[in-house]
């Protein structure tokens, strides 16, 4: 008899809790680096801050990958699939990606001529720096969490006993994440994945698109397993089908509006 897995599995919940704990520690350390930036010496001190943050991202990315590998091993064991498999750990984000993320976070902190500045860039420096630090927190969280998610994704692509993956979204996730989670394990071709997964794995890449401060995960599905949507993801699917499906180009807007009106778990910022 085939085993059943779901986006609300105990293993997925444990991995999410572990990643949230890792994020808490990451942000604690990241906020300690704020003292490296001197408001009166941005040109001289921001590069040192960027270097320190990049090193922090590298260290936490290794832990994120290890947590993901442990999660994958646990899911594989629970599925009772034959054979052994060593999860390949995803690499930390490249230096240029970290640098680009931090440049994005701090772009409004620099002084500009009043004629060329936006309204945000005309705010007092302390306000601009506070906003930059908030952006840096969100971008850094994504960089680290993505390494764990990519570790699971790579494992599914390379493990001959894996056939699919599904998105795991929290109850209070944004509308995009809820929509992706409601699609279930439709991100692989079961006829080809597992026989020649490295070359022939295919599927909807939306499951691996994540935004800043996103805490979604990826759940592997193995040969012989049956995937079932959790009750809350099934409800998101029902809402989409009833209120948004069949409206090309307008589905996301309609789905977001329907969630705000009909979902028991409110969207972020809807209160």
């Amino acid at each position: 008899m085939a085993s059943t897995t779901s986006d609300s599995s105990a293993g997925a919940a444990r991995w999410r809790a572990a990643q949230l704990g890792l994020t808490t520690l990451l942000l604690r350390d990241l906020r300690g680096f704020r003292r490296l930036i001197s408001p009166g010496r941005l040109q001289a001190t921001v590069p040192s801050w960027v270097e320190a943050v990049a090193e922090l991202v590298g260290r936490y990315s290794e832990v994120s990958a290890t947590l993901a590998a442990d999660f994958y091993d646990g899911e594989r064991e629970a599925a009772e699939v034959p054979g052994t498999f060593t999860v390949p750990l995803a690499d930390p984000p490249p230096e240029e990606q970290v640098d680009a993320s931090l440049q994005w976070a701090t772009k409004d902190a620099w002084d500009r001529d009043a004629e060329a500045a936006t309204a945000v860039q005309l705010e007092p420096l302390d306000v601009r720096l506070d906003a930059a630090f908030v952006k840096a927190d969100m971008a850094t969280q994504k960089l680290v969490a993505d390494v764990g998610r990519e570790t699971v994704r790579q494992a599914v692509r390379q493990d001959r006993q894996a056939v699919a993956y599904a998105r795991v979204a929290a109850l209070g996730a944004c509308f995009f994440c809820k929509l992706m989670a409601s699609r279930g394990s439709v991100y692989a071709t079961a006829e080809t994945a597992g026989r020649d997964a490295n070359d022939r794995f295919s599927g909807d890449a939306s499951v691996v698109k994540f935004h800043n401060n996103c805490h979604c995960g990826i759940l592997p599905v193995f040969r012989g397993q049956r995937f079932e949507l959790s009750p809350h993801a099934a409800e998101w699917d029902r809402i989409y089908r009833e209120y948004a499906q069949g409206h090309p180009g307008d589905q996301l807007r309609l789905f977001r509006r329907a969630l705000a009106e009909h979902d028991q778990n409110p969207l972020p910022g809807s209160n």
Side-chain angles (χ1 to χ4, degrees), residues 98-113:
V98 178
D99 187 63
S101 295
L102 297 178
Q103 285 189 32
W104 166 81
T106 58
K107 66 182 178 67
D108 292 330
W110 303 96
D111 290 331
R112 287 176 170 79
D113 292 334

Side-chain angles (χ1 to χ4, degrees), residues 117-139:
T118 64
V120 173
Q121 293 163 352
L122 290 174
E123 293 284 351
L125 179 57
D126 61 332
V127 174
R128 286 181 277 141
L129 278 176
D130 285 345
F133 288 138
V134 170
K135 284 184 172 181
D137 286 353
M138 295 190 298

Side-chain angles (χ1 to χ4, degrees), residues 176-192:
F176 176 80
C177 295
K178 287 182 175 181
L179 179 58
M180 294 303 103
S182 74
R183 292 182 175 177
S185 60
V186 297
Y187 305 104
T189 302
E191 292 78 16
T192 59

Side-chain angles (χ1 to χ4, degrees), residues 201-269:
F201 188 92
S202 63
D204 187 338
S206 294
V207 74
V208 290
K209 292 180 180 178
F210 301 95
H211 54 79
N212 288 340
N213 207 33
C214 178
H215 299 286
C216 289
I218 297 175
L219 177 76
V221 182
F222 297 95
R223 193 171 302 282
Q225 274 190 318
R226 183 178 69 255
F227 177 84
E228 291 183 357
L229 285 174
S230 62
H232 54 266
E235 175 64 5
W236 300 334
D237 182 55
R238 183 197 67 78
I239 291 172
Y240 174 78
R241 293 178 184 276
E242 182 172 349
Y243 297 100
Q245 191 176 45
H247 299 276
D250 208 21
Q251 294 100 321
L252 279 177
R253 184 186 69 83
L254 292 174
F255 182 61
R256 183 175 189 174
R257 186 173 71 181
L259 284 174
E261 295 176 357
H262 303 287
D263 189 14
Q264 297 181 3
N265 304 287
L267 292 170

Side-chain angles (χ1 to χ4, degrees), residues 17-38:
Q19 289 284 7
L20 285 171
L22 185 66
T23 293
T24 299
L25 296 176
L26 167 69
L27 296 183
R28 179 203 64 189
D29 290 351
L30 180 62
R31 288 162 186 165
F33 288 165
R34 294 181 182 184
R35 58 181 172 76
L36 297 175
I37 294 182
S38 173

Side-chain angles (χ1 to χ4, degrees), residues 156-163 189-202 223:
V156 173
R157 292 174 64 93
Q158 297 181 29
D159 186 355
R160 293 182 177 274
Q161 294 299 329
V163 295
T189 302
E191 292 78 16
T192 59
R195 291 204 301 268
D196 196 7
N198 282 325
D199 297 329
R200 303 180 66 184
F201 188 92
S202 63
R223 193 171 302 282

